[in-house]
Every structure is written in C-alpha cells, then in structure tokens.
Amino acid sequence: MTGRLAPLRAARAALSLGRRAAGGLAVAAFALTMVSGTAPALAGWLVKKVIDDLTRPGGAPDPGRAVWLGVASAAVAGGGLVVGYAGGLLATRMQNAVTLHVQERLYARINGFAGLHRFEDPAFADRLRLAEDAATDAPAMLAEFTLAVVRSVVGIASFVAVLHAVWPPMNALLAIVAVTAVAVQLTVARRESEMIQANTATQRRQLMYRRLLTDHAVAKEVRVFGLGDFFRVRMLGALRRANQAEAGVRTRAAVLQSGMAAAGAVVAAIGIGVVIARAIRGDVTAGDVTLFLTAVAAVQSATLTIVGQVQAAARSTRLFASYLDVMEAPEAMPDGVGVPGPLRTGIVLEDVWFRYDHSGPWILKGVDLTIPAGRSLGLVGRNGAGKSTIVKLLCRFYDPQRGRILWDGVDLRAYSVADLRRRIATAFQDFQVYDLTIAENIGVGALDRLGDRTAYARAAALAGLDGDVAALPRRYETLLSRAFFHDDAEEAGVSLSGGQNQRLALARTLMREDADLIILDEPSSGLDPQAEHHVYATLGEYRSGRTSVLISHRLGAMRGADLIVVLADGVVVERGTHEELVAGAGVYAGLYALQAASYREDSPAHAVPGGPR
Ligand SMILES: Nc1ncnc2c1ncn2[C@@H]1O[C@H](COP(=O)(O)OP(=O)(O)O)[C@@H](O)[C@H]1O
Ligand SMILES: [Mg+2]
C-alpha cells in the first residue's frame, strides 16, 4: 500500500476492525478512562482550596472544612486510580478480543490461498510476517492510543483553564511544544516503520538459522558436519545487521526527542519564573502557584504520553498496512465454480507448458498425456524431468501457462479448487509428518473420519504399517514428536524411521477410499525390499479399477501399470506397457537394463573403483 493517505486508511481499517471485534468493551473502557482522567485535576483543585483556606490573610481557617477537603482530595485521587485500573483491565480484555479476531481472519485468508505462488514469493513472506505482528499489535495499539489520548486530553483540558487563569500565554507556549513534538514523533514513526519493513527479510533469515540450530530434525547434520558455528555466525551476522539498522534510526530519534524535552523544560522554566514573580508581587496566591506547578507538570506529562502514543500508533498503523496487503491480496489463481463429478472418461493433459517463474526455464514443453478413468498410469523420468510438477498441476497448485488439463473434457480451471481436490488423493514425494499421534497423522487424510479406528487401521494395513504400530506401547496413540509430550503424561513421543514415515504418508493418502484419482509420487523410495514388495502387492490390488498415477524409479513396480509414460526434456518421449517398452530400444528399455544389471553380482555397477576385482 502506497500513497500519502495510506496510513490514514490503515488507521481507519484498524479502528473499524477493533470496533467489530470488541466494540462494547472499548466503549466501557473509554468511559472509565474519561472518569479517571478528570480525577487528578479535581484532587489538585481540592488541595488548592485547602492551601488557600490555610493561608487566607486575616481569616482563621475552619479546621473541620480543611480536613474534609484534604480527605476528599485523597479519596478523589485514590478513586481515580481504582477507576483507571478497571479501565486498564477492560482495555486488556479488549486487546485480547481484537487479537483473536484478527488472527482468525488472517489465517482464514492464508488458508484461502489455493495455489502455491504466494508461499514461494519472498516479498509476500515478508509481508506475511509483518502482517502477523501488526495484526496482533495495531488494533490494540490504536485503541490504547485513543484511550491514552482521550485520558490525556481530558486531563489537559481540566488544567488548561487553571493555566489560563494564572498566566494565559502558558497554554500557547505548551501547545507549540506539543505540536512540534507530535510532528517530530510522526517522522520518527515513519523512519521506524521503514526500518522494521527493511529488517523483516533479515529477521526471517535469522529465524531460519535459529531453527537450524535448534530443530531436532537438523541437529544430526549440524553435528556431523560441524555446522554449528557456521550457522551461529550467520545468525549473529543477520542479527547484527538488523541491530545496526535499528540503532541508526533510534539514535536519530533520541536526538530529536532530547531536543523536544529541552524545549519543554525551557517553556516550563519560563512559566514558573513568571508566576513566582507574580506571586511575589501579590497578583496571585500561594495556592495559585501550587496549582500552576501541578498544572504545568500534569500538562507536560500528558503531552509526553500523547506524543509517545502518537509515535507508537503511527508506527503500527504503517505496519498494519501489511495486514491489509495480505487480506486484500488479489487471488493469484482464480477459483472456478463448477463441481467435478465422478471421473468417467479420464484426465487429459493437452499441450501443457509450464514454468515456475516468468523468467525461469520451461519445465514442461508441451506435454500430451491421457490418464484413462479406471486405469493405472506409471510416470517415469530422470530426476528433474518434471514428474512431481505434473502432480502439482493435477492438484491445481498452479495453472499451466499454455495448454490445458481436462477432467472429463472440462478444463480444471472451471472447477472449484476445493471440490476438485476432494476427488484427488495424493502422496507427495516431500510428504509431511505432523507432531500429532499416529492415528491423527493417518486420519487427517480424510478429516471427516479422523477418529475412525477401523478406517485408519485399514489404511495402515494397506500401507504395511500395522505391524510397526503394533510394536509401539501406545500403538496408534503414539505421538510422533520429539518436541512435545503426550497430552496425558510428561513422556515424549517417538520418531519413526524414514521408511515408516513414508508408509505413514501412504496410509494417510489411502484414507481417501472414495477418491477418483490417486497419485503416488515415489511412495517406495525409502522402503526396504520386503516393505516395498508388500506395498506394491497391496497397492496393485488397491489400484485395480481405480484411476491412479504412480511415479517410481523401481521399474519392477511399473509392471502392473496399464500404461507407462516416459518424460524427458519436458515432453512425453515414450508410452506403452512395461513389456512393450522393455522390448523397444528407448529410454525405458535402457533404464530397465541398467537396473537389472545392478542386481547381477558381476555387474560393473557394483565394481568398487580401485577395489579388488
Ligand atoms: N517450486 C519450484 N520452484 C521453482 N522450480 C522448481 C520448483 N519445483 C521444482 N522446480 C524445478 O522444476 C524441475 C522439475 O522438478 P520436479 O517436477 O520436481 O522433477 P521430478 O521429475 O524429479 O519430480 C526441476 O528442475 C526443479 O528444480
Ligand atoms: Mg519428483
């Protein structure tokens, strides 16, 4: 968000958000704050009365009245404090309500991003990080600002009359200092928010290094390669850069603020000098002098509060713009409206061209491919050939730049993304293991059957994981986390092995029994031969009659596929059944010969360079 009016718009948006989230609390907090704001002035006025009574020339003071006034002033001051605390309590509750509301909306919005583009854009990551902080801060900050300003203005207003009565020019002098200070703080706030924005990327880097130094999954490599200091130095470097940027801005701010403080002191000194001189001349009473001193101190402290609040509010308003940016970010990948029906004829990729970035290399350069309904397709190709990219396009994380993907003859773009994904079950190559129980890790594959014991046990059995689970004391209730305890005991969870994790991810996908299309991206790369054999045997049964795509380097596993497609240089170079392709002289036959050779003992693939022959 740019332009001069942007901060004002952001402030309005933040306040209206605060009103929606915690309007009632805000009004109540306001009222209490107003009441407590007038207390000091009232107490000061009562004290003046006492002093005037005691020092009135000639007349003997009425002791009862003086005591009563003194007690009343103490009571008013104390009562004001109590009301102030109550207001503060309400303000905290309001702040919590606002934070909850904002986070709720922000994360709903993030969940609304259907594609992956935004999650791969560093500038967006910066904004997102700021948005999170600003979302938590700004509305509460602005509410606090409004409250503090109201409180201070009420306080100032009650003293302005006093100052005017005692020495009229004092108000003007104080106003000049206040206005200048506000202007200075607005500049400081602008520089601060610019610095915070510029520092975000550095901070994210620092957090990344911090994670590398503390994460359980990274700890092994960091130790075996001795990377600890390497990452620590980089982390500290990022922190130093951020500190330097901050120190520069803060130093300049401190110089400006000190100047303002000095100006305030000079004005106070002038006023006090004048009033004391007038008291000596007998123009004003001793009580007036006390009241004047109290008033000057109170007005200056209230001004200081306002000025400080202006700076904080202006800064968080500017940062709140990041939140608006995220909330109002246009949809990078427009959603369709159609609901795809059960797959009847098949999925067709028609001259599909795709690259991840506008300036990046083409990954797919005109892929033509048909996945017939009810058939199993095997996808083969070297690392980086674009197999996983095709998976991502089928799930519609991106749209092809050219060409189309058709589901029963209709472009995927015409369908609602959520409805399309409901029909697809995918096991990604880079699957995720969540810090949840095994039951939940599998169950999240079909949220509507999350707690369904039969469903997750069946999926685990299909994936060949049931035996492994049975060996664990807590079985399906085992927590897969070394970072958290089980809910019911201070007992850490466990980590599974790589191959077990892979079967876990497979089981999760198999929870989607009713999926029309099942996609398995290298589901067996980490499995031992026995597990692999089991998985492919059960998967073979499971896939028969279902539409499925299997990506694997184990060409033996491809035998069962109805059709195999070989991808190279961004296009389909071969297609056929396993037998047809092996019989040919193409890429597949070459790969197959190589794999077969690697199992023969005397093969050159097994020879150790320089070793015994
Ligand atoms: N998110 C991404 N952003 C940019 N490039 C990517 C991304 N994902 C993959 N690529 C690139 O696309 C190419 C194909 O990757 P991929 O489809 O994962 O290959 P594979 O056939 O091994 O599954 C690779 O060169 C990879 O570097
Ligand atoms: Mg891949």
Side-chain angles (χ1 to χ4, degrees), residues 120 356 363 382-389 392 398 429:
E120 295 176 341
Y356 285 94
I363 310 297
R382 301 189 56 177
N383 292 146
K387 304 181 294 297
S388 298
T389 301
K392 287 186 257 181
Y398 312 93
Q429 189 175 10

Side-chain angles (χ1 to χ4, degrees), residues 272-288:
I272 291 164
V274 167
V275 170
I276 288 175
R278 293 185 64 198
I280 290 169
R281 266 186 278 129
D283 293 348
V284 295
T285 65
D288 287 335

